[in-house]
Amino acid sequence: MLSNRKLFLEYLAQTSPSPSMLEVEKAKGVFIYSPSGKKYFDLISGVNVSSVGHSHPKVIEAIKLQADNYLHTMVYGELIQSPQIKFAELLISYLPDNLESVYFVNSGAEAIEGAMKLAKRYTGRTEIISFKNAYHGSTQGALSIFGGDYLKQAYRPLLPGIRHLDFNDFDQLQRIGPETAAVVAEVLQAEAGMIQQQAGFLEALRKRCDEMSCLLILDEVQTGFGRIGSMFGFESYNIVPDILVLAKSLGGGMPLGAFISSREIMEVLSYSPELGHITTFGGHPVCCASGMAAMEVILDEDLVHCALEKETAFREKLKNPAIQEIRGRGLMLALDFKNKEFMLRVVKCGFEEGFITDWFLFCDTAIRISPPLNISYDEIEEATLLLDYCINKVKSQ
Ligand SMILES: Cc1ncc(COP(=O)(O)O)c(C=O)c1O
């Protein structure tokens, strides 16, 4: 009989040049367990997904309850399904007035596609601007606004009318013009290696979009739900988007995305032609129930405000001189060794010693630290000791 390892390589399409090959038996809280019972600190939350930890009892309960009631019944937007309505109502109650209409989809990339279509349709313009070193998903529209060349070069032609600006370059904001339908931005550039704005940049971007009457789409797929010390990242920067894009932790561990806008903007998807976006599984009732339960956990356990305090705990404990820089905000951090080989060996050592981390699409000298928001201070202590042990081990090799 073939081992799961062999079956994984033989039957599952492989795209990663170096899969970690860790087999998952179960996951609970901040830990992932292998079949041998060995436990691993999940220091990346499956890339910012498991914000309330793995298998949170309230999330599991909500999933079971909804699964007992009904699974898929009909394509999006036809039948009234209470998990969708209740979750949309909860989301809207925590959002500014103009973010009042939710379109649930399946993933971050689909939410980006929906947001780009919506902006083109609403403004009647076609140009979309995004930023260098930004990742917004892997479908063809999302790939078109990818802020690099490497991943998209083999798939051209992609969408026309796309321009990329340098994040934090105030002068380049002038390139946003009367032909621009929308600018897509992150409030903190995750895959660039947790790059924050220079003071005032996001406000200047908002102002320029207003001057040119184009829409600002904020991709909060990674920054949403308390990661950087506010429920939604934009609240930390004093701006409000025209379209908000959410995914990853939105579903509490189940696949869910959303683009959210004003009723006036969203309405254009309903006429000339109608069915402006179609999705079979978007807003799946089990995913909405799970997402809502996870958001309630974030609220009940006050996980939004502790992200900044836990950032401080990580920073205080990570003083190894091999770490050249710690970037980011809240529980979205990058530890930069400024050396790719060194970084790879720390990641490898983590899998041997019991913690999981990875690196970034646009920064291969730093590791990602974005654990579940409810990681305890004792767990931070234990995880950082392990991390320090690995850094010293790599140094001594
Ligand atoms: C900022 C950002 N936007 C969009 C996406 C795409 O999300 P998904 O993988 O769910 O399509 C990602 C995925 O990593 C992301 O990091």
Side-chain angles (χ1 to χ4, degrees):
M1 204 171 76
L2 289 178
S3 68
N4 281 354
R5 220 180 145 79
K6 286 215 172 98
L7 291 170
F8 170 81
L9 292 173
E10 192 153 324
Y11 293 137
L12 293 191
Q14 299 293 318
T15 57
S16 165
S18 52
S20 72
M21 302 297 288
L22 171 67
E23 187 172 345
V24 179
E25 177 75 10
K26 64 174 183 173
K28 186 99 193 117
V30 295
F31 295 108
I32 290 179
Y33 297 83
S34 71
S36 69
K38 184 171 163 134
K39 71 174 188 184
Y40 298 81
F41 273 102
D42 181 359
L43 290 186
I44 55 176
S45 309
V47 188
N48 290 22
V49 170
S50 323
S51 288
V52 298
H54 295 281
S55 306
H56 192 289
K58 292 196 173 148
V59 175
I60 300 299
E61 190 190 336
I63 290 172
K64 285 183 175 162
L65 208 66
Q66 181 53 40
D68 274 345
N69 284 344
Y70 55 94
L71 303 178
H72 176 80
T73 50
M74 183 54 179
V75 298
Y76 178 89
E78 300 295 336
L79 301 185
I80 300 171
Q81 304 181 50
S82 70
Q84 290 179 345
I85 308 165
K86 285 199 217 153
F87 192 21
E89 187 184 24
L90 180 67
L91 283 166
I92 287 165
S93 70
Y94 281 87
L95 287 167
D97 289 350
N98 68 316
L99 299 175
E100 58 184 348
S101 177
V102 181
Y103 195 124
F104 283 121
V105 290
N106 296 279
S107 67
E110 191 190 357
I112 285 287
E113 299 286 342
M116 286 165 70
K117 284 165 68 185
L118 180 59
K120 284 165 85 170
R121 180 74 177 78
Y122 180 72
T123 59
R125 306 172 184 177
T126 52
E127 182 182 83
I128 308 269
I129 290 184
S130 66
F131 289 92
K132 290 179 192 160
N133 296 345
Y135 176 70
H136 299 289
S138 193
T139 52
Q140 297 207 50
L143 202 55
S144 304
I145 59 169
F146 177 72
D149 230 25
Y150 182 63
L151 290 185
K152 65 184 179 192
Q153 61 197 354
Y155 301 101
R156 296 188 192 284
L158 292 165
L159 281 184
I162 308 293
R163 300 176 78 179
H164 292 97
L165 308 183
D166 287 298
F167 194 68
N168 280 331
D169 187 324
F170 286 76
D171 292 340
Q172 288 187 21
L173 294 178
Q174 294 308 312
R175 297 190 197 162
I176 300 167
E179 64 294 336
T180 310
V183 179
V184 184
E186 295 163 276
V187 292
L188 188 161
Q189 282 203 305
E191 293 308 316
M194 307 301 192
I195 301 296
Q196 293 209 67
Q197 69 146 7
Q198 273 170 27
F201 182 73
L202 290 166
E203 282 183 70
L205 169 62
R206 174 69 274 185
K207 186 161 171 276
R208 182 66 186 164
C209 288
D210 288 340
E211 284 163 4
M212 291 298 119
S213 301
C214 75
L215 301 187
L216 176 60
I217 300 173
L218 286 184
D219 177 342
E220 294 237 28
V221 167
Q222 292 213 30
T223 47
F225 295 98
R227 272 275 145 212
I228 62 170
S230 47
M231 180 59 91
F232 302 101
F234 65 81
E235 296 166 277
S236 299
Y237 299 100
N238 233 1
I239 55 164
V240 174
D242 300 296
I243 306 176
L244 175 65
V245 172
L246 300 170
K248 290 200 187 274
S249 58
L250 173 72
M254 297 290 281
L256 188 64
F259 54 103
I260 304 177
S261 190
S262 68
R263 225 165 279 126
E264 181 203 332
I265 294 175
M266 204 63 99
E267 210 176 37
V268 300
L269 294 181
S270 66
Y271 63 89
S272 312
E274 67 270 29
L275 299 174
H277 190 72
I278 301 177
T279 171
T280 296
F281 287 122
H284 190 285
V286 176
C287 304
C288 284
S290 162
M292 178 158 169
M295 186 169 170
E296 284 171 346
V297 170
I298 290 174
L299 294 165
D300 293 348
E301 298 183 11
D302 197 19
L303 297 181
V304 171
H305 298 110
C306 68
L308 295 181
E309 285 158 27
K310 289 179 181 173
E311 171 190 353
T312 307
F314 269 103
R315 284 184 185 269
E316 277 168 1
K317 288 177 196 315
L318 290 168
K319 296 285 189 203
N320 195 304
I323 303 170
Q324 305 289 312
E325 189 184 4
I326 302 182
R327 291 186 300 270
R329 181 184 162 94
L331 289 178
M332 251 181 102
L333 301 174
L335 308 192
D336 204 330
F337 303 106
K338 307 276 182 196
N339 179 325
K340 180 177 175 179
E341 272 315 302
F342 195 95
M343 180 282 295
L344 287 174
R345 279 153 60 196
V346 172
V347 172
K348 184 166 174 279
C349 181
F351 278 97
E352 287 157 10
E353 298 299 331
F355 66 85
I356 299 173
T357 180
D358 71 343
W359 56 100
F360 302 91
L361 281 174
F362 294 101
C363 176
D364 59 9
T365 56
I367 58 169
R368 187 191 314 266
I369 302 290
S370 51
L373 302 179
N374 53 2
I375 186 171
S376 70
Y377 288 95
D378 284 348
E379 287 164 342
I380 292 176
E381 170 86 32
E382 208 186 319
T384 48
L385 281 174
L386 265 184
L387 194 48
D388 202 49
Y389 171 82
C390 276
I391 294 171
N392 286 334
K393 190 167 160 190
V394 171
K395 268 203 291 197
S396 69
Q397 281 165 354

